[in-house]
Amino acid sequence: MPSIKSDIEIARAAAKKPIFEIGAKLGIPVEQLAPYGHDKAKVSAEFIAAQTGKKDGKLILVTAINPTPAGEGKTTTTVGLGDGLNRIGKKAIVCIREASLGPCFGVKGGAAGGGYAQVVPMEDINLHFTGDFHAITSAHNLLAAMVDNHIYWGNEENIDIRRITWRRVMDMNDRALRSMVSSLGGVANGFPRQGGFDITVASEVMAILCLATDLKDLERRLGDIIIGYRFDRTPVHARDLKADGAMAVLLKDAMQPNLVQTLENNPAFVHGGPFANIAHGCNSVTATKTALKLGDYVVTEAGFGADLGAEKFFDIKCRKAGLKPDAAVIVATVRALKMNGGVKKDDLGTEDVVALKKGCANLGRHVANVRRFGVPVVVAINHFVSDTDAEIAAVKEFVSRLGAEAILCRHWALGSAGIEELAHKVVELAESGQAKFQPLYGDDLSLFEKIEIVASKIYHAGEVTADKAVRDQLQTWEEQGYGNLPICMAKTQYSFSTDPNLRGAPEGHIVTVREVRLSAGAGFVVAITGEIMTMPGLPKSPSAERIFLNDQGYIEGLF
Ligand SMILES: Nc1ncnc2c1ncn2[C@@H]1O[C@H](COP(=O)(O)OP(=O)(O)O)[C@@H](O)[C@H]1O
Ligand SMILES: O=COP(=O)(O)O
Ligand SMILES: [Mg+2]
């Protein structure tokens, strides 16, 4: 068997077209594209605004079962399906998130897909791209600096230093920054207080960029950010510190969606990048809505499993942006099904139909959960070279018993030629009129009831517990007028429960909400459960140890 090329070798060999040609495929004039080199460009706000009123294409969500630490190929399948739809003559556009440097140099790697289903230039996309994450980090930390500065110069807003909720961010996995005391070193450095850093992809500014409809909406939302509370317990907003204007200036370019291409020269928007375990996990509304105006099919992803990314895609992104998905693809892999059936990570390459069948319970629950939102489902078996015919047959048989179809997809190895069957099935579902999307809960329920509904209906939890302080905080926010907001659950991606080792389809477990955060600008309440961290740590042997420049000055080790 020929040696399998690495993602970066495949990406580097791509026959890319000039980005203006990709834009022309979508009817975007040259003057409406701001180029970042020959293979990346930002789409102008003017062009986006001019698309209003056009008919929308069909919206396809790609989600997955609970993954292994490497991920099961949602992004790879999103890109592959986009290429597959173009291959069968449909005008399809891919919409995915930007990569965070955290997982790139940590465990999971990049977010440009893999094999022969990638967006390119993958090195740029996985590193600094067009600078959006650096802009988001700067805007977030400008606000943090202005909070401490306001206190330093007399604290006219009477901010209660003990109740500052606005942290700092950095786009890197660094557990050492989670909890720290700032302003040490004496009077000149201000008033010491405890705080810390989250990873940029957990920043409310990231969520705001992904949910804002235009620059004006962006600035309004930035102004709505609550940085903490006064001594009289009233919220202090970013606009009280006059930070919103400067933050919007820092984000002006980042607000515009990035246009790149797949290995097969099909258009892809890559914009925004919240994680789905600690944030809402979806690319920007502007990119998705723009793509819907320019293509007949838009294939987009939501992070991690359907218990996280898909639930938030439906209950936050679609609810707030008025999107109505037409079909959903649930990516399943033999390896993740075996892990959900109890097989250890190191043994996933060995055939084990018994464990796989046990792990199918996880897939069955995700199929039922996505259907609960009124969206028709097809299962994509993302083929890995270690998969056996018996294992694949077992997945197909299980899914057929659910009244759904599981289609074997070989896009990682073959590109669009390996995913035509899924493309045809997705078209059939999207055009069938079966979709009757509705969110999981109404706006009028209490915040805690919304948490209970997600936990019981999606996670199959038996109970949600929270300290009195958490419950009181939710009630206070309801009294302050935030009770109509949706919930953004922060939970481990490895389990329906808050225990990352409880695989499969656990029932009756207890979901403990340890902290809640009000993202008044983004328009949701974050419920932090179990041990999940908003600043991940690096593993014992981070991918960074294997990333370097070779003798020709090319990057090696990115994946
Ligand atoms: N069919 C496959 N065979 C081998 N590796 C794959 C396959 N599909 C995806 N991968 C690799 O697995 C990793 C996770 O894929 P990705 O699409 O990023 O998953 P997700 O978006 O679900 O996290 C990437 O390194 C990708 O190259
Ligand atoms: O937020 C997580 O996204 P992936 O599942 O694509 O890694
Ligand atoms: Mg991904």
Side-chain angles (χ1 to χ4, degrees):
M1 170 189 267
S3 69
I4 296 176
K5 282 188 176 178
S6 70
D7 290 351
I8 199 164
E9 285 170 326
I10 295 168
R12 211 161 19 233
K16 286 179 288 185
K17 289 192 172 160
I19 197 62
F20 290 129
E21 280 186 39
I22 304 300
K25 277 186 174 182
L26 300 179
I28 307 174
V30 171
E31 65 274 14
Q32 300 295 354
L33 284 172
Y36 286 65
H38 305 293
D39 50 14
K40 305 177 291 293
K42 280 186 173 284
V43 185
S44 73
E46 182 190 359
F47 175 80
I48 291 172
Q51 307 313 305
T52 309
K54 286 186 177 175
K55 187 175 179 303
D56 279 348
K58 299 293 185 185
L59 181 57
I60 317 299
L61 172 70
V62 178
T63 179
I65 62 174
N66 289 101
T68 66
E72 299 325 301
K74 271 186 314 304
T75 305
T76 303
T77 303
T78 302
V79 176
L81 178 56
D83 282 338
L85 286 165
N86 277 289
R87 183 183 185 91
I88 65 171
K90 304 300 180 186
K91 189 176 181 185
I93 303 171
V94 164
C95 283
I96 60 174
R97 287 164 300 156
E98 304 182 45
S100 161
L101 295 176
C104 262
F105 293 93
V107 177
K108 204 168 166 303
Y116 290 88
Q118 294 186 62
V119 287
V120 286
M122 79 85 97
E123 303 102 304
D124 295 8
I125 291 168
N126 282 329
L127 292 174
H128 304 296
F129 199 16
T130 54
D132 295 348
F133 279 28
H134 298 309
I136 290 164
T137 301
S138 300
H140 186 117
N141 292 338
L142 169 64
L143 180 53
M146 290 178 77
V147 168
D148 284 306
N149 186 60
H150 177 84
I151 293 163
Y152 179 83
W153 290 106
N155 195 6
E156 276 176 38
E157 286 295 334
N158 278 320
I159 298 170
D160 182 341
I161 299 181
R162 303 164 303 177
R163 290 191 170 87
I164 294 173
T165 53
W166 193 250
R167 292 165 52 88
R168 288 170 163 87
V169 296
M170 186 167 82
D171 192 32
M172 197 55 71
N173 291 358
D174 189 351
R175 62 174 64 82
L177 297 180
R178 282 174 185 157
S179 179
M180 58 201 315
V181 176
S182 56
S183 301
L184 293 177
V187 171
N189 295 348
F191 294 81
R193 65 180 181 87
Q194 185 165 356
F197 283 73
D198 295 329
I199 188 167
T200 296
V201 291
S203 162
E204 183 182 353
V205 174
M206 171 72 80
I208 286 171
L209 182 128
C210 287
L211 293 168
T213 51
D214 56 31
L215 275 176
K216 272 293 154 220
D217 185 41
L218 174 83
E219 186 162 354
R220 176 187 63 79
R221 289 168 176 265
L222 292 170
D224 287 344
I225 289 172
I226 291 175
I227 63 93
Y229 299 86
R230 296 182 182 84
F231 288 103
D232 66 3
R233 306 299 289 270
T234 55
V236 180
H237 296 274
R239 67 169 56 85
D240 297 327
L241 303 183
K242 302 183 184 62
D244 45 328
M247 292 171 76
V249 164
L250 282 168
L251 295 165
K252 180 178 74 68
D253 295 335
M255 183 62 199
Q256 301 318 120
N258 303 297
L259 178 67
V260 291
Q261 61 193 290
T262 69
L263 287 170
E264 298 184 19
N265 311 120
N266 293 309
F269 286 114
V270 183
H271 193 221
F275 279 174
N277 54 351
I278 52 180
H280 75 286
C282 301
N283 69 279
S284 72
V285 164
T286 44
T288 307
K289 284 195 157 187
T290 302
L292 284 168
K293 298 299 182 195
L294 302 177
D296 300 330
Y297 292 86
V298 172
V299 188
T300 193
E301 60 165 12
F304 293 128
D307 54 319
L308 286 171
E311 188 272 317
K312 299 173 198 178
F313 173 79
F314 295 135
D315 279 330
I316 297 175
K317 182 175 178 180
C318 291
R319 179 200 306 262
K320 305 298 268 187
L323 297 170
K324 297 201 178 306
D326 297 286
V329 175
I330 299 180
V331 176
T333 63
V334 164
R335 70 179 187 185
L337 288 169
K338 287 191 281 193
M339 182 168 247
N340 277 290
V343 175
K344 290 200 177 358
K345 192 154 74 85
D346 297 343
D347 303 332
L348 293 174
T350 309
E351 179 175 278
D352 188 338
V353 176
V354 172
L356 178 131
K357 286 180 175 176
K358 187 172 171 232
C360 279
N362 182 270
L363 173 57
R365 182 172 293 174
H366 286 299
V367 169
N369 284 350
V370 172
R371 282 172 164 170
R372 184 186 286 276
F373 288 94
V375 180
V377 166
V378 57
V379 172
I381 304 172
N382 180 16
H383 181 263
F384 279 68
V385 293
S386 52
D387 297 350
T388 67
D389 293 346
E391 290 169 327
I392 291 163
V395 181
K396 289 189 169 194
E397 201 273 328
F398 173 82
V399 172
S400 66
R401 287 209 308 274
L402 303 175
E405 196 173 339
I407 295 173
L408 185 64
C409 300
R410 297 175 181 273
H411 48 291
W412 179 82
L414 305 173
S416 61
I419 200 167
E420 278 192 58
E421 188 183 352
L422 181 70
H424 283 295
K425 182 65 183 176
V426 160
V427 168
E428 179 196 317
L429 285 180
E431 302 296 346
S432 67
Q434 287 176 46
K436 291 179 181 45
F437 170 69
Q438 82 280 338
L440 190 63
Y441 51 79
D443 294 341
D444 50 351
L445 295 177
S446 76
L447 294 171
F448 197 77
E449 282 172 333
K450 291 168 183 171
I451 295 171
E452 287 181 317
I453 285 178
V454 174
S456 59
K457 305 280 187 218
I458 300 296
Y459 308 162
H460 286 226
E463 185 189 359
V464 176
T465 63
D467 290 348
K468 182 176 182 308
V470 168
R471 288 173 178 268
D472 289 350
Q473 178 63 82
L474 291 174
Q475 189 158 352
T476 302
W477 288 334
E478 284 163 1
E479 288 157 8
Q480 291 172 344
Y482 296 104
N484 64 333
L485 296 184
I487 296 294
C488 180
M489 296 296 288
K491 178 183 73 63
T492 176
Q493 63 269 30
Y494 298 120
S495 172
F496 277 108
S497 76
T498 56
D499 174 358
N501 300 311
L502 190 52
R503 299 287 185 151
E507 286 279 350
H509 49 90
I510 294 174
V511 169
T512 302
V513 178
R514 73 168 201 266
E515 180 189 349
V516 284
R517 294 181 184 176
L518 171 57
S519 295
F524 55 65
V525 170
V526 181
I528 302 178
T529 69
E531 306 303 314
I532 193 79
M533 294 290 178
T534 49
M535 167 54 91
L538 287 173
K540 185 171 172 54
S541 173
S543 304
E545 294 176 353
R546 294 170 291 283
I547 295 172
F548 59 94
L549 291 175
N550 63 23
D551 295 342
Q552 291 71 42
Y554 289 126
I555 297 168
E556 299 289 352
L558 267 189
F559 63 97

